[in-house]
């Protein structure tokens, strides 16, 4: 507990991000990684491999932007820093590992405090709002330009399903339906933003959340992408995010994760 409080103080996060619990969430993810990181290894390797494949598709390698960089567990930062003139690690939270990468590759790895929704600071300042108003704010928000000019590669690194979760904090007591509307609005806006970026784009995102009993029988499955209009991912795999007893004594929590690769003239939406 004390370690986690200290960790939370050490990570960089604007006040509005702390109010929304994003620093706390970051610390919780890091602590879970310390406990069950071995089970995450195949997922992290699959993400890093997909990112390096996307890098290979780039005609020019001046700037790569990682959105939701967090602790860079799923990002091959050193390899990217050898290939690109600039690696931009963008997140609301500035993690300790990201700071270490910036020190190790001065001038080449750049840390940016950046809200991918473009709405969070405004939503916190407004103090309240109905779930419908929050969803509307996500739909209209403009995340703004990233430093580094037009990127040659943009990676959305496992943050799509996280973007709208702040609805719980902004509108406590909201129903599951209201929460989903906020999550979907933030996700749709992010996909439109990503689709509008120049260069190669890679989306790494949860496809579904599963509860899997130990015998391996099919358990509960919750679709994370319903109504977002995404085409089939180019690749998918399972992430053993919380093996028993991390999340429950009865079931493993597993995420099905997808990778969508889009060259400069392609997109992510079903046609
Ligand atoms: C599941 S973690 C991704 C893990 C990260 N790629 C890593 O390897 O450590 C989701 C990340 O999205 C970030 N995030 C959540 N909301 C965000 C927002 N509105 N803008 C930018 N990043 C956000 C979180 O801070 C967190 O680091």
């Amino acid at each position: 507990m004390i370690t986690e409080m200290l960790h939370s103080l050490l990570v960089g996060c604007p006040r509005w991000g702390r109010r929304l619990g994003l620093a706390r969430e970051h610390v919780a993810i890091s602590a879970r990684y310390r406990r069950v990181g071995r089970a995450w290894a195949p997922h992290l390797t699959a993400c890093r491999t997909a990112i390096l494949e996307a890098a290979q598709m780039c005609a020019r390698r001046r700037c790569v932007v990682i959105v939701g960089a967090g602790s860079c567990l799923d990002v091959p930062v050193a390899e990217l820093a050898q290939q690109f003139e600039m690696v931009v690690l963008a997140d609301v939270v500035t993690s300790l590992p990201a700071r270490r990468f910036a020190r190790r590759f001065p001038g080449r790895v750049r840390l940016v405090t950046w809200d991918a929704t473009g709405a969070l600071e405004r939503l916190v300042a407004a103090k309240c709002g109905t779930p419908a108003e929050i969803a509307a704010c996500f739909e209209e928000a403009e995340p703004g330009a990233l430093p580094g000019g037009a990127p040659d590669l943009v990676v959305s690194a496992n943050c799509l399903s996280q973007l709208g979760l702040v609805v719980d904090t902004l509108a406590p007591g909201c129903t599951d339906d209201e929460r989903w509307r906020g999550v979907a609005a933030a996700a749709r806006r992010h996909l439109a933003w990503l689709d509008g970026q120049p260069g190669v784009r890679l989306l790494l995102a949860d496809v579904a959340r599963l509860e899997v009993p130990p015998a391996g029988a099919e358990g509960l499955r919750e679709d994370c992408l319903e109504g977002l209009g995404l085409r089939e991912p180019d690749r998918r795999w399972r992430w053993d995010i919380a093996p028993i007893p991390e999340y429950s004594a009865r079931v493993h929590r597993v995420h099905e994760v997808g990778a969508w690769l889009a060259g400069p003239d392609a997109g992510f939406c079903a046609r």
Side-chain angles (χ1 to χ4, degrees):
M1 189 65 174
I2 290 176
T3 314
E4 294 180 8
M5 272 169 61
L6 268 177
H7 187 180
S8 175
L9 289 175
L10 288 173
V11 300
C13 187
R15 191 174 294 180
W16 48 266
R18 287 188 189 275
R19 291 269 295 276
L20 291 170
L22 293 176
R24 196 173 52 239
E25 179 65 20
H26 169 79
V27 169
I29 293 175
S30 308
R32 176 169 287 178
Y33 175 69
R34 282 197 295 277
R35 291 192 298 272
V36 298
R38 215 177 316 161
W40 292 16
H43 159 69
L44 299 179
T45 301
C47 293
R48 291 192 199 120
T49 303
I51 293 173
L52 291 175
E53 276 177 27
Q56 287 306 310
M57 286 171 65
C58 295
R60 193 183 60 162
R61 301 212 184 104
R62 208 183 50 78
C63 176
V64 49
V65 175
I66 311 290
V67 181
S71 296
C72 305
L73 299 169
D74 50 17
V75 186
V77 180
E79 290 90 332
L80 292 175
Q82 276 152 17
Q83 295 183 30
F84 287 79
E85 286 168 33
M86 192 193 304
V87 181
V88 177
L89 302 178
D91 202 302
V92 173
V93 175
T94 306
S95 71
L96 304 181
R99 282 202 194 128
R100 281 196 287 274
F101 279 121
R103 282 198 298 272
R104 187 169 150 203
F105 299 103
R108 221 167 171 94
V109 171
R110 191 161 166 190
L111 312 183
V112 181
T113 305
W114 193 72
D115 168 20
T117 74
L120 299 185
E121 186 170 10
R122 186 146 49 99
L123 283 168
V124 169
K127 284 210 176 83
C128 59
T130 63
E133 285 167 347
I134 295 166
C137 187
F138 280 137
E139 268 156 27
E140 292 157 10
E142 179 48 62
L146 279 161
D152 302 299
L153 170 61
V154 181
V155 178
S156 172
N158 289 302
C159 64
L160 185 74
S161 58
Q162 306 269 309
L163 299 177
L165 287 181
V166 293
V167 177
D168 271 326
T169 314
L170 290 163
C174 64
T175 64
D176 285 353
D177 261 11
E178 289 169 338
R179 179 187 311 106
W180 170 246
R181 240 173 277 153
V183 169
R188 263 194 295 273
R189 181 68 193 93
H190 182 58
L191 291 174
W193 175 85
L194 197 58
D195 243 353
Q197 293 306 301
V200 176
R201 280 78 36 78
L202 171 66
L203 169 67
L204 298 169
D206 293 337
V207 173
R209 293 189 198 96
L210 304 117
E211 290 182 2
V212 181
E218 274 305 306
L220 282 181
R221 182 189 168 92
E222 185 193 349
D223 188 352
C224 302
L225 302 174
E226 200 182 306
L228 297 186
L230 269 171
R231 62 170 167 79
E232 274 296 297
D234 297 299
R235 211 164 303 152
R236 52 169 100 205
W237 60 86
R238 283 190 167 197
W239 175 11
D240 290 329
I241 187 167
I244 291 172
E246 179 70 17
Y247 159 76
S248 143
R250 292 179 303 103
V251 288
H252 304 290
R253 184 84 184 227
V254 177
H255 284 189
E256 204 172 284
V257 177
W260 290 256
L261 246 176
D265 303 318
F268 299 105
C269 294
R271 302 205 187 272

